[in-house]
Amino acid sequence: MRDDANATDTLQPMRPLTVVNARLLTLAGSAARRGAAMRSLGVIERGFVRCNAGRIESVGSGNPTGDLGEVIDAAGRVCMPALIDCHAHLCWGGNRWSEWENIRRGMPWSEILASGGGILNTVRATRATSEDELAQGVRGRLNAMQRLGIGTTEAKSGYGLNQETEARMLRAIGTAAQSVSIKVRRTFLGGHAIPQDDPEWPDRLAREVIPAFATLFPDAAVDAFCERNALSVDQARAVLQAAKAAGFACRLHTDQFNSLGGAEMAVQEGARTVDHLEAATDETVRCVGASPTIAVMVPCSGYALDGRYAPGRKLIDAGAAIALGSNCNPGSAPTIDLRFAMHLAVRHCGLSCEEAIVAATVNAAHALGIGGETGSLEPGRRADMIVLADRDERSIVHGFAHEPPLHVVLNGCRLSP
Ligand code: NIG
């Protein structure tokens, strides 16, 4: 049976809602922003946004007219699109606290994976976790994320690495998504690693599982991890080709620890995103910059693991469209706070505050394939926005481990604080 994430929205707006007197960051436009265009936020001073039935109806400067419904007077504060987390592994069983202590004592992450730990440790725990428990974990994370002002998030599978558990994870994500306001986009990360009990898994994945999941989870994207001790370039290529043939959009974790040619292959295969890129060479930067593929940076894992960060400045200067993700997962990025990724992108990847905001809103929406649906304040878009406590948007990037926005509006409804 086909299973849909976000088939319903929990909060059903009963009447219009209007934010007035705001410094609006509209981020309006139809395509992902790349290169120099990543610095433009589409600011309207003293603007308003009127929402009705969960959608933005009108955006402008000055005073709106007509039935405003519930009014939020921003008093000159910043109102911007809710954030979008386009790279997040939100579903798992178990924990990795002991491994983290080993990493802190100097054991490299890749060595832990090679010896059957890391992702494979979480695979064992996830296989032993019921669908209900998985859904409960995802629901808790989604609730916490929406309170921080995240209006849409990706949720990857990838800790099952067999057909039964991967399907259980995707169903659990779909179930959790039905009870929250944050919008969820699922990704089938069946190619996250090669399980110890099935060395032929990448081949089985491409031949059998991806075609089967095209019927079961048609809303999902497909992802894989191209790295030593995970999938080789050829194995990852076979997964992406099978996914394309089954009608899925493709993404690839690549160039995280080693530059193996995965990013170039993914660009060639027309992947929607290449994610990580901490080890990207100048040649890879040029290749991604000249392509329509979006470069997704996930600096929270550099922070948590080894202090290595993607060359964000070089990528933007090469013309790339950059998006940001929290990379929330139990190992390399134990956080749900995309705002921390924005902070790190400025602190360590060379982005400006404006570029970090674009990367966590409109470009992240395009990375999830929903650029026409959310990520900007424009008539017709989902009514997802946040009002900051400040009159200058740099505050959301400058802060870390800081307070949530003053107001969070999702699907046209204000979340209670
Ligand atoms: O994006 N690189 C591959 N996957 C995750 C790590 C997941 C884990 O450690 O469990 C990442 O960093």
Side-chain angles (χ1 to χ4, degrees):
M1 194 181 70
R2 182 187 156 138
D3 168 268
D4 278 320
N6 279 140
T8 58
D9 282 302
T10 325
L11 290 177
Q12 291 298 339
M14 300 305 289
R15 59 188 189 126
L17 178 147
T18 310
V19 178
V20 299
N21 203 11
R23 174 175 162 82
L24 289 185
L25 315 184
T26 68
L27 293 136
S30 55
R33 293 175 188 222
R34 49 184 62 251
M38 280 195 64
R39 285 197 286 276
S40 141
L41 300 177
V43 174
I44 299 179
E45 295 293 354
R46 301 259 152 211
F48 68 87
V49 186
R50 183 178 182 281
C51 315
N52 198 8
R55 296 274 145 187
I56 295 176
E57 231 174 44
S58 54
V59 177
S61 61
N63 297 318
T65 51
D67 175 15
L68 305 186
E70 179 182 357
V71 172
I72 297 176
D73 184 352
R77 296 184 180 89
V78 172
C79 173
M80 58 183 281
L83 302 177
I84 296 177
D85 190 341
C86 67
H87 185 127
H89 308 246
L90 296 182
C91 186
W92 69 80
N95 69 70
R96 303 256 287 278
W97 303 321
S98 303
E99 270 183 11
W100 182 58
E101 291 188 312
N102 292 336
I103 291 176
R104 295 320 342 138
R105 289 191 202 100
M107 190 184 282
W109 187 91
S110 43
E111 218 171 275
I112 290 177
L113 178 61
S115 62
I119 295 170
L120 298 176
N121 176 350
T122 301
V123 167
R124 286 188 292 278
T126 303
R127 286 180 179 180
T129 304
S130 72
E131 192 166 324
D132 276 359
E133 284 174 288
L134 289 175
Q136 208 179 324
V138 177
R139 195 176 299 115
R141 288 170 203 119
L142 294 174
N143 269 311
M145 290 170 93
Q146 63 185 25
R147 283 196 291 274
L148 296 178
I150 296 159
T152 302
T153 184
E154 187 204 34
K156 298 180 193 284
S157 66
Y159 293 116
L161 306 189
N162 61 31
Q163 180 159 349
E164 190 274 310
T165 317
E166 288 292 322
R168 194 191 323 151
M169 294 181 78
L170 290 167
R171 284 194 306 269
I173 292 166
T175 303
Q178 310 236 342
S179 60
V180 290
S181 297
I182 182 172
K183 188 178 170 69
V184 178
R185 298 286 291 173
R186 292 186 287 200
T187 297
F188 171 37
L189 176 55
H192 201 185
I194 303 177
Q196 288 171 307
D197 60 355
D198 187 4
E200 304 305 319
W201 168 247
D203 186 46
R204 189 186 327 290
L205 173 65
R207 272 189 303 106
E208 294 167 19
V209 186
I210 287 175
F213 279 23
T215 317
L216 292 171
F217 308 106
D219 59 300
V222 166
D223 195 355
F225 180 26
C226 181
E227 184 56 70
R228 283 192 192 129
N229 302 316
L231 273 67
S232 67
V233 175
D234 284 346
Q235 288 170 322
R237 187 197 307 274
V239 169
L240 298 196
Q241 287 181 343
K244 274 197 307 184
F248 288 112
C250 299
R251 311 184 56 168
L252 188 66
H253 287 63
T254 187
D255 297 64
Q256 181 175 7
F257 299 103
N258 297 285
S259 167
L260 306 177
E264 286 83 350
M265 178 278 285
V267 164
Q268 242 174 37
E269 295 297 334
R272 193 162 64 204
T273 68
V274 283
D275 302 51
H276 273 284
L277 301 175
E278 290 90 334
T281 61
D282 287 351
E283 207 179 310
T284 302
V285 165
R286 277 193 294 277
C287 166
V288 174
S291 79
T293 299
I294 296 178
V296 177
M297 302 195 311
V298 288
C300 295
S301 37
Y303 175 81
L305 291 182
D306 52 13
R308 294 160 51 261
Y309 295 94
R313 182 76 266 138
K314 284 185 182 176
L315 281 158
I316 294 178
D317 291 346
I322 298 240
L324 280 169
S326 68
N327 196 21
C328 173
N329 73 68
S332 72
T335 177
I336 49 151
D337 198 344
L338 177 63
R339 301 172 309 161
F340 188 46
M342 296 165 76
H343 177 89
L344 293 174
V346 172
R347 179 80 176 78
H348 292 293
C349 305
L351 269 63
S352 68
C353 288
E354 291 84 0
E355 288 165 340
I357 289 171
V358 166
T361 54
V362 61
N363 278 11
H366 284 281
L368 293 177
I370 49 173
E373 163 81 8
T374 186
S376 61
L377 301 181
E378 292 177 88
R381 298 286 197 267
R382 212 174 104 105
D384 292 347
M385 56 199 162
I386 52 179
V387 178
L388 306 185
D390 300 283
R391 293 175 174 78
D392 186 322
E393 55 276 11
R394 287 175 295 185
S395 67
I396 195 172
V397 187
H398 181 223
F400 55 91
H402 55 316
E403 71 278 5
L406 200 56
H407 302 290
V408 177
V409 174
L410 297 185
N411 191 36
C413 288
R414 189 191 333 206
L415 287 193
S416 35

